[in-house]
Amino acid sequence: MTPDPAATDAPPPAGQGQPRLHIPPSPVLVAGLRRAVMLTPDGEIADLTLAQAAQRAKRERPILAHGPALATRLKTDLFPCFDVLELFAFIRPATFCLPTGRGLADAVGLERPDTLEAEAAALIEVIRRLLREVATAHPREQGAMRDLSWGMGQSGSWGWSASVLAALGVHGDAPHRANVAAGLRVWERLPETSEHAPEPPSGNKPITPEQARERLAALKGSAAEDRPQQADYATAATDAFQPRDAENAPRVVLAEAGTGVGKTLGYIAPASVWAEENEGAVWIATYTRNLQRQLDAELDRLHPDRAEKSVKVVVRKGRENYLCLLNLEESITGATMQRNPRGAIALGLMARWALATRDGDMVGGDFPGWLVDILGRNQTLGLADRRGECVFSACAHYDKCFIERAVRRARRARIVVANHALVMVQAALGGLDERLMPTRYVFDEGHHVFDAADSAFSAHLTGMETAELRRWLLGAEGDTTRSRARGLKRRAEDLVADVEAAAEALTEALHAARVLPGPSWGMRIADGEPHGQAEKFLALVRDQVYARVPDSRSPYSLETEATAPIPGLLEAAVALAERLERVERPLKALAKALETRLDDEAAELDAAQRLRMESLIKSLERRAIMPLTAWRNMLGSLSEDTPELFVDWFAVERIDGRDIDVGMHRHWIDPTVPFAKAVIEPAHGALITSATLRDGSGDVEADWTAAERRTGAAHLAVPAARAAVPSPFDYAARTRVLVVTDVRKDDMMRVASAYRELFLAAKGGALGLFTAISRLRAVHERIAQAMDEASIPLHAQHVDGMDPATLVEIFRGEENACLLGTDAMRDGVDVPGRSLRLLVFDRVPWPRPDILHRARKAHFGGRAYDDMIARLRLKQAFGRLVRRADDAGVFVLLDPMMPSRLLGAFPEGVDVRRVGLADAVKEVRGFLG
């Protein structure tokens, strides 16, 4: 029976007046790939085409789940709606659910709907249950919800305001304005973070394999199955936690552990023993958010008591990942609330989350990623300190700051879970927020060390980078709503007021910084009217790129060599280098003056002043001096030869054929050189581990050499120890690998047909990977109707209005869905069970033949380098299929040109068959049942 949206329930009394269940008198709208359903307030169901649904949605303000995604599916602009996800985020802040009608039903304990009609009816019941939670909430919680929901309704016309207030029994007079304002000022209700004395350096006691095995057994519990491979792995990992014998000679272990070995607990065991014995911290670095979440969960075994774990274990990320309370306050108190009604709604929901969050992490923590899609980046991720504008102890929220809390906790923790990028940046800069650099590291997902180092140690003299530096120095010109948007002067003037040399250096630097690109620089360059020396140089770089590329009308990014500069470019480079030196010189003088003051006034400065000065010195070095130095070196190389360890090029970055950035780029040919020097060499020990660390060429020594090259171990004075523990899974019995030989990979009609038939044969549970976005979109367009007719949900990156992580969560939660994504998505997919039972790759994932790859190919061995990258990508993709012993799956490659030398990507014993599409479909259907 279809529930009546207008019905009124009577929950127990709450607050003032009798609570009422008020559901907006609007239709419910849900849409599939080819049709939509609308449930009217009087219970009638209308079956609509997507075009009809789009027209009615614009007129009737429907109830729905995930407005941006539905608008994308209806191929229309955003329209006013009652998004149930907003209500969910308000009532259950810091709680994740799949951002679909089915996911919402799961979250509130309803049976998962299996048709569009059932999904529409389920959304009404979801609303009922959420509003009942409001009516029965704790009085203090009800007061906070009342004040916030009223304010969101008044300032932002939040559609759910009336429903929440009715559930609270609020009638008549509105809350006092002071209460509404207090409801938004969540920072006043957050606990302060205490400071502690500095921790002493860690000890150097060795640990034994027996200790690691005992700890592993304790972590697993007495009822756990015996896994000898896991114990062998823990024993091998122990060597990374032995004392080193000489300076710059760390104990390094390269350990490949096949899927199913249990490497996470395998390295937590020796790491936790070492941390306890030596009262020091082990930093565990991962590449993906998924593994960070998994690690956090596994560490519950080490510290079952939540309070103890909060002291001993910290998930540590860069500052740009955390909500900045000062940004939140300035957004709330500034003009945003008056100018932007949607902004008022977003800030209300962010305030709710800020009070409920565990640690303020907006990227991979308890912040639902779909809120970014719904509320927009500016009012969500934009509230983080993404521009390095932190004023540290000068901030009124310093002792309540989420970032500072994580930093302080990390100083005392025994296990710090971080990402590769943070570890590398901290090491390169001598530590950002940490007083002592770690001496022990674990790099999980070690096959990504090369890529992470490539990003961390590269330099980019581009419009976006230089304009961002100008903003950091001069502030957001024209923006008076945010105090820190006024630039370095605002952040530093009170620290240099009494030091004449420092004040003069600051003034000189800010005057010289006007050479950097200002607001609207991109439009001026595109129009041929650059202002200033930096924009003139960038305009000439753009001209050279357009002159040298084969097709300047391509929708994709363009690049060309930095050699043989066009007329005028060398002169512009020399002039820009000279102007950049005028910015860099006084900034160095400012940093020096601050260091001198720290020394001269050591006895007079209080702790807060000292911390601010130290932080400002580090910020000057990281945000300005280091990039300025790199840029001047790059400009100097244009009239000479590029240093042999680097490769330079010019590029115009594009999105859908529109220029978004232009500039010069410099990368290390081998980025593991600086990684080994800055990160590994100073450490005492490091474990670098992955399920896909080695190549699969068939030559054992060559495969280990490839692992050493990709991890930086090849550059160490003392060779790394090697360990390889095979997977316990029976891949030969549980998997099939099929190479389809009769589908032309350049014929998208046939490629799409292959995807369609294979997905239908598997009855869903399929991941389709693509080497190009255009190919993904072409296949999606051609198979959507067939998937819809078969009632198989189809999701796609670059098609649906959701971020990749959210799409993966939806895919994981639906056993018979299909997901299309680019090759880069493969690492974010960790889906055990039947939800992933078929993986189809559109063609061999060869590396993109760009300028950087060309230089690396020449350096690392020509064709063999291409083969290694392709094998590793295939190896990583195949590894997605089987995550547990009882998983089964089929891997299909739609590339008849697949060379036999790449077959080492697949586990030994797996039968790789070359078959036609018809046989492949039959095999998939038969094997997967």
Side-chain angles (χ1 to χ4, degrees), residues 77 167 176 237 440 473 528 546 551 586 619 677 693 703 723:
D77 297 331
H176 192 277
R440 304 286 169 170
L473 292 169
Y546 271 68
D551 181 10
S619 294
K677 188 71 177 176
L693 209 56
D703 292 346

Side-chain angles (χ1 to χ4, degrees), residues 470-763:
R470 175 177 174 134
R471 187 189 190 283
W472 189 80
L473 292 169
L474 299 180
E477 295 153 274
D479 181 356
T480 60
T481 64
R482 298 176 58 241
S483 62
R484 290 174 304 152
R486 299 172 196 170
L488 183 61
K489 182 178 181 181
R490 172 76 179 188
R491 299 191 295 274
E493 57 187 349
D494 62 314
L495 296 177
V496 303
D498 299 330
V499 184
E500 184 177 354
E504 290 177 354
L506 176 60
T507 300
E508 183 182 351
L510 297 182
H511 177 74
R514 297 192 178 277
V515 69
L516 300 168
S520 303
W521 63 268
M523 293 177 60
R524 289 192 296 274
I525 289 176
D527 293 340
E529 298 177 354
H531 291 179
Q533 204 58 56
E535 290 184 22
K536 290 177 182 176
F537 171 75
L538 293 171
L540 287 164
V541 167
R542 182 177 183 271
D543 290 345
Q544 178 157 327
V545 173
Y546 271 68
R548 304 276 172 84
V549 296
D551 181 10
S552 62
R553 295 169 297 180
S554 168
Y556 305 111
S557 296
L558 311 172
E559 65 175 24
T560 192
E561 295 85 352
T563 54
I566 62 174
L569 197 150
L570 277 183
E571 293 79 4
V574 171
L576 177 57
E578 190 274 331
R579 296 296 297 275
L580 293 179
E581 196 274 336
R582 294 186 196 177
V583 183
E584 181 182 345
R585 186 179 63 250
L587 289 175
K588 286 182 174 179
L590 173 60
K592 181 66 175 175
L594 290 170
E595 288 174 346
T596 301
R597 186 183 177 194
L598 279 170
D599 185 45
D600 293 346
E601 302 179 28
E604 291 83 19
L605 292 172
D606 61 35
Q609 285 178 303
R610 175 173 292 278
L611 175 61
R612 281 191 63 202
M613 291 173 128
E614 291 172 345
S615 300
L616 181 57
I617 292 168
K618 287 183 178 181
S619 294
L620 285 168
E621 182 70 22
R622 175 174 64 97
R623 295 284 303 179
I625 295 170
M626 288 182 69
L628 285 165
T629 302
W631 294 344
R632 290 196 301 110
N633 290 337
M634 292 163 67
L635 291 167
S637 296
L638 290 175
S639 56
E640 304 168 359
D641 290 333
T642 299
E644 62 179 10
L645 295 177
F646 299 94
V647 56
D648 294 340
W649 72 94
F650 296 152
V652 173
E653 300 298 327
R654 286 182 157 181
I655 294 180
D656 294 330
R658 180 175 56 88
D659 294 1
I660 60 167
D661 201 8
V662 59
M664 180 179 180
H665 302 264
R666 168 168 288 183
H667 283 240
W668 286 79
I669 293 176
D670 182 356
T672 65
V673 172
F675 167 71
K677 188 71 177 176
V679 183
I680 301 299
E681 199 173 274
H684 289 216
L687 170 68
I688 304 177
T689 186
S690 169
T692 55
L693 209 56
R694 296 177 295 169
D695 189 11
S697 69
D699 183 326
V700 174
E701 184 59 31
D703 292 346
W704 273 115
T705 298
E708 290 168 348
R709 280 185 164 185
R710 299 285 291 177
T711 59
H715 306 299
L716 299 175
V718 177
R722 299 171 175 178
V725 182
S727 169
F729 296 160
D730 186 355
Y731 285 110
R734 307 296 300 177
T735 64
R736 297 289 184 270
V737 177
L738 308 174
V739 179
V740 176
T741 58
D742 58 355
V743 174
R744 287 178 49 190
K745 57 186 178 182
D746 58 344
D747 185 338
M748 292 312 299
M749 185 70 75
R750 297 187 65 186
V751 170
S753 297
Y755 271 95
R756 181 191 67 226
E757 296 306 316
L758 290 164
F759 284 8
L760 291 173
K763 298 180 181 178

Side-chain angles (χ1 to χ4, degrees), residues 287 420 424 443-454 671-672 675 688 710-712:
Y287 191 76
H420 290 181
M424 292 181 191
F443 286 93
D444 203 343
E445 299 179 302
H447 58 280
H448 280 301
V449 160
F450 190 97
D451 296 327
D454 189 33
T672 65
F675 167 71
I688 304 177
R710 299 285 291 177
T711 59

Side-chain angles (χ1 to χ4, degrees), residues 316-454:
R316 179 76 170 85
K317 298 183 179 181
R319 308 181 74 83
E320 69 280 0
N321 291 275
Y322 297 92
L323 172 68
C324 169
L325 295 174
L326 185 54
N327 279 349
L328 178 63
E329 179 186 8
E330 292 182 338
S331 294
I332 288 171
T333 59
T336 304
M337 297 284 282
Q338 287 74 39
R339 290 199 310 254
N340 180 6
R342 282 296 300 171
I345 295 169
L347 291 170
L349 292 176
M350 290 302 297
R352 289 284 294 160
W353 174 78
L355 273 181
T357 178
R358 183 181 75 168
D359 54 13
D361 177 11
M362 292 195 290
V363 185
D366 55 20
F367 184 76
W370 41 260
L371 267 180
V372 180
D373 301 330
I374 292 171
L375 304 179
R377 295 184 69 85
N378 286 344
Q379 299 301 332
T380 51
L381 299 181
L383 295 176
D385 177 24
R386 306 183 79 80
R387 300 179 183 275
E389 296 173 336
C390 185
V391 293
F392 298 94
S393 59
C395 178
H397 308 302
Y398 182 67
D399 288 327
K400 298 184 176 184
C401 173
F402 290 118
I403 307 163
E404 185 62 25
R405 185 192 304 172
V407 170
R408 294 184 192 182
R409 288 178 59 213
R411 291 174 186 155
R412 304 175 61 216
R414 293 297 175 246
I415 301 290
V416 180
V417 179
N419 56 41
H420 290 181
L422 177 66
V423 168
M424 292 181 191
V425 169
Q426 284 202 155
L429 301 179
L432 289 177
D433 301 306
E434 317 309 326
R435 293 170 180 165
L436 292 173
M437 291 303 298
T439 62
R440 304 286 169 170
Y441 293 104
V442 175
F443 286 93
D444 203 343
E445 299 179 302
H447 58 280
H448 280 301
V449 160
F450 190 97
D451 296 327
D454 189 33

